[in-house]
Amino acid sequence: MHKFSFFVLIFSFLCFIYSFVNFEGSSYSLIYLLPLALFILSSVFINIYNDYRDSWVFKIFIVQALIRYPLMSLIYCLSVDDASRYHLYSNASIVVMLVELISCFGVLAFFSKRQRNAFNNKSKKINVNKNYFIIITMLLVMFVCIFLSGALNEINLVFSLQDYVDKHVNDELQSKTTIGSILFTSFKSLLALSIVGYIYSINISKNVKSLLYFSTIVFASSFIVGLSRFSLVQFTLPLLILITYLISDKESKKLVNISLLVIFVAILISSLGKYSRYGNEATLEVIFNKYMINAYFAGPDNIANGLSLFESKYNLNYMYYLLNDTFQNIPLLSKMTLDEFKLNLDYNEHLYGHRYFADQIVPLSTSGLFHFGYIGVTFYSCLFLSIALFFERKSYYSFDLFYKYIYISLSISFTYIFMKNMSSFYSSLTAVFLFLFLPLFLVNLLKSVKVKI
């Protein structure tokens, strides 16, 4: 048995035992079924843990599942119950979560052999763009655009976030998605990829290369826009995964363990910085609690809110919600969308009773419900997980360093099915194409151009 699957089984079973003994204190009387479902499915599909042992998409999915199912049930049973407003939909929300998990495991089982074969036949050759004149020119152009957009005011070091918080103590401290901020991520990506490519191409010892790779990850990940902790993860993980393809398995394990520890510390520091304002001092209890984990991983409360909203709608126009939710975060097309048919606004208004802010993530199951009815509850989670696996297979076969990184970025982005809403997936795809693929494609297109000085 693979040690990863062993941990999943043991942790799920222990959380099930505790939840089954203590579920009576919660409004969610079926909460103990969450860890039990992960335990049973992992036992039934134990072979896919071996097929996906080298798959980052699978690992990230399982980590999300561990938090959303066994850990979620544990936290709910340990917390003071105050979810009485959802008592009509409490058990229904648990059923929705169970159906989602079963469907996702079905998708994983369907693609498991194909994913294993793709990894076994992955490209062992990596092509590096060495036209540094074109790369430096592109970086300068991007930096000028970022500077002129004013996005540099939102960029800060992870390890000095308290200064940023103190400076913007009266602001909302929400990361604003602008052209400049998106372009900054592209700038970091091109710069980091160029450095990684240079390190890969030079003839030095493996230990020195590993140290340089790690330094590149730390340096590139130290700068974030505002307090966007999720953007830190979305940028760092693809870069880390790419580097694991360039070094041996033994070096990879060491680099991954150290890098993940650094990422965790950086996220913790940024979280403490975000919630330490107005004279308040953030603690781990404030960050890791029932409300936070429910909000970030589409927990029972958020799904119950979606079910309650759906039942409150009469003569629901599925097509209007589908079109508006699909295009609301896509440049140019977003101007044609209507606020009265945007699920994100309706969802948060139903939760808070107003539209002053909309910070809660709409679960994919709720989006499927509003777009296709009850048969659509698992549609988006299965669709995006399938897309994630597709791009991961593409990354195995690609031999170009830049394109391999793009495929890895897309595969990881589409894996966060329990942490992102539907429109975020589409906007991520658009942003990657416009602000990452096109610049890298242009650099590759001009790589054969020789400049004589």
Side-chain angles (χ1 to χ4, degrees):
M1 182 184 294
H2 194 272
K3 59 183 179 181
F4 187 43
S5 60
F6 180 75
F7 173 78
V8 173
L9 291 172
I10 293 299
F11 184 69
S12 299
F13 183 74
L14 292 178
C15 288
F16 161 67
I17 295 298
Y18 183 87
S19 302
F20 185 74
V21 173
N22 297 279
F23 74 91
E24 293 181 355
S26 172
S27 294
Y28 296 92
S29 58
L30 298 180
I31 193 75
Y32 61 87
L33 292 180
L34 297 182
L36 180 61
L38 183 59
F39 175 80
I40 293 176
L41 289 170
S42 295
S43 301
V44 172
F45 296 100
I46 192 67
N47 289 334
I48 69 173
Y49 280 86
N50 182 60
D51 290 336
Y52 286 105
R53 63 181 180 273
D54 298 297
S55 170
W56 278 89
V57 168
F58 178 74
K59 291 174 184 176
I60 293 173
F61 168 80
I62 292 296
V63 169
Q64 291 178 90
L66 283 170
I67 296 174
R68 193 178 189 237
Y69 291 86
L71 185 60
M72 184 87 72
S73 66
L74 184 65
I75 291 177
Y76 265 70
C77 290
L78 288 171
S79 303
V80 176
D81 186 88
D82 55 2
S84 56
R85 63 172 295 192
Y86 297 126
H87 68 282
L88 294 176
Y89 306 96
S90 58
N91 288 335
S93 67
I94 299 297
V95 172
V96 167
M97 294 177 68
L98 296 178
V99 172
E100 277 188 287
L101 188 63
I102 294 171
S103 301
C104 287
F105 264 86
V107 169
L108 291 169
F110 180 79
F111 288 109
S112 62
K113 298 303 179 184
R114 191 181 305 180
Q115 215 73 11
R116 185 73 244 160
N117 292 333
F119 181 83
N120 290 336
N121 295 288
K122 68 180 184 297
S123 173
K124 293 180 173 60
K125 179 182 177 182
I126 302 294
N127 288 345
V128 177
N129 190 326
K130 296 181 180 180
N131 194 332
Y132 296 110
F133 177 84
I134 297 298
I135 292 174
I136 292 174
T137 301
M138 179 66 73
L139 287 171
L140 288 174
V141 171
M142 295 171 73
F143 183 81
V144 170
C145 293
I146 295 169
F147 177 79
L148 294 177
S149 70
L152 288 179
N153 295 325
E154 293 293 320
I155 297 168
N156 54 88
L157 282 167
V158 171
F159 301 102
S160 61
L161 285 180
Q162 191 57 52
D163 295 335
Y164 179 83
V165 172
D166 294 338
K167 182 179 178 181
H168 298 82
V169 68
N170 293 320
D171 300 339
E172 284 299 317
L173 284 177
Q174 299 289 340
S175 298
K176 301 175 182 178
T177 303
T178 62
I179 297 296
S181 63
I182 297 175
L183 195 59
F184 176 71
T185 301
S186 303
F187 173 83
K188 283 201 308 178
S189 299
L190 178 56
L191 179 59
L193 287 174
S194 302
I195 295 174
V196 168
Y198 178 75
I199 296 170
Y200 177 75
S201 62
I202 60 178
N203 187 20
I204 55 177
S205 69
K206 293 182 179 180
N207 291 334
V208 175
K209 279 191 176 184
S210 297
L211 180 60
L212 291 176
Y213 285 140
F214 176 71
S215 300
T216 302
I217 293 174
V218 173
F219 176 76
S221 304
S222 297
F223 297 90
I224 64 173
V225 179
L227 292 172
S228 180
R229 295 152 293 168
F230 197 47
S231 67
L232 173 66
V233 176
Q234 290 192 105
F235 169 79
T236 307
L237 270 183
L239 185 62
L240 174 61
I241 294 170
L242 175 69
I243 292 174
T244 62
Y245 292 162
L246 308 180
I247 57 181
S248 66
D249 292 340
K250 183 179 180 180
E251 294 170 322
S252 295
K253 291 179 181 179
K254 188 184 302 182
L255 180 65
V256 167
N257 291 334
I258 298 175
S259 298
L260 290 180
L261 178 61
V262 172
I263 293 172
F264 176 78
V265 172
I267 293 174
L268 182 60
I269 291 174
S270 62
S271 299
L272 292 173
K274 179 176 182 178
Y275 296 107
S276 296
R277 51 177 172 158
Y278 308 119
N280 297 324
E281 182 177 351
T283 62
L284 292 179
E285 186 177 355
V286 173
I287 298 173
F288 300 105
N289 57 47
K290 169 184 173 181
Y291 307 104
M292 291 297 177
I293 197 172
N294 180 81
Y296 285 111
F297 292 91
D301 286 0
N302 279 27
I303 292 181
N305 180 62
L307 292 172
S308 176
L309 174 63
F310 181 77
E311 292 296 330
S312 69
K313 295 286 185 179
Y314 299 97
N315 299 320
L316 179 65
N317 193 315
Y318 297 105
M319 186 59 65
Y320 279 10
Y321 275 100
L322 173 61
L323 293 175
N324 281 273
D325 290 341
T326 300
F327 299 118
Q328 65 173 324
N329 284 340
I330 298 179
L332 300 180
L333 295 177
S334 61
K335 296 181 179 179
M336 302 171 61
T337 58
L338 305 173
D339 286 350
E340 55 264 38
F341 293 104
K342 291 181 180 178
L343 181 56
N344 183 54
L345 297 178
D346 285 355
Y347 180 87
N348 280 272
E349 182 182 21
H350 189 71
L351 180 65
Y352 294 118
H354 57 74
R355 290 197 173 192
Y356 295 125
F357 46 84
D359 59 346
Q360 292 296 308
I361 300 171
V362 180
L364 289 181
S365 57
T366 301
S367 294
L369 191 62
F370 270 76
H371 298 164
F372 307 107
Y374 287 106
I375 61 174
V377 166
T378 64
F379 175 77
Y380 286 116
S381 56
C382 292
L383 172 65
F384 294 140
L385 184 58
S386 300
I387 294 174
L389 293 170
F390 167 77
F391 280 121
E392 185 174 53
R393 292 195 298 274
K394 293 283 288 183
S395 72
Y396 292 152
Y397 295 133
S398 178
F399 54 82
D400 184 275
L401 185 72
F402 287 173
Y403 295 153
K404 185 181 285 287
Y405 176 78
I406 291 174
Y407 292 138
I408 294 172
S409 297
L410 287 171
S411 68
I412 299 304
S413 179
F414 277 96
T415 307
Y416 300 118
I417 57 175
F418 300 135
M419 301 177 64
K420 295 169 66 174
N421 60 24
M422 188 208 75
S423 58
S424 295
F425 286 102
Y426 293 139
S427 62
S428 296
L429 182 61
T430 305
V432 168
F433 178 77
L434 293 177
F435 298 99
L436 188 56
F437 172 76
L438 289 183
L440 294 179
F441 173 77
L442 182 60
V443 170
N444 270 357
L445 188 66
L446 300 174
K447 66 182 177 182
S448 60
V449 175
K450 304 298 182 183
V451 179
K452 294 183 179 180
I453 302 178

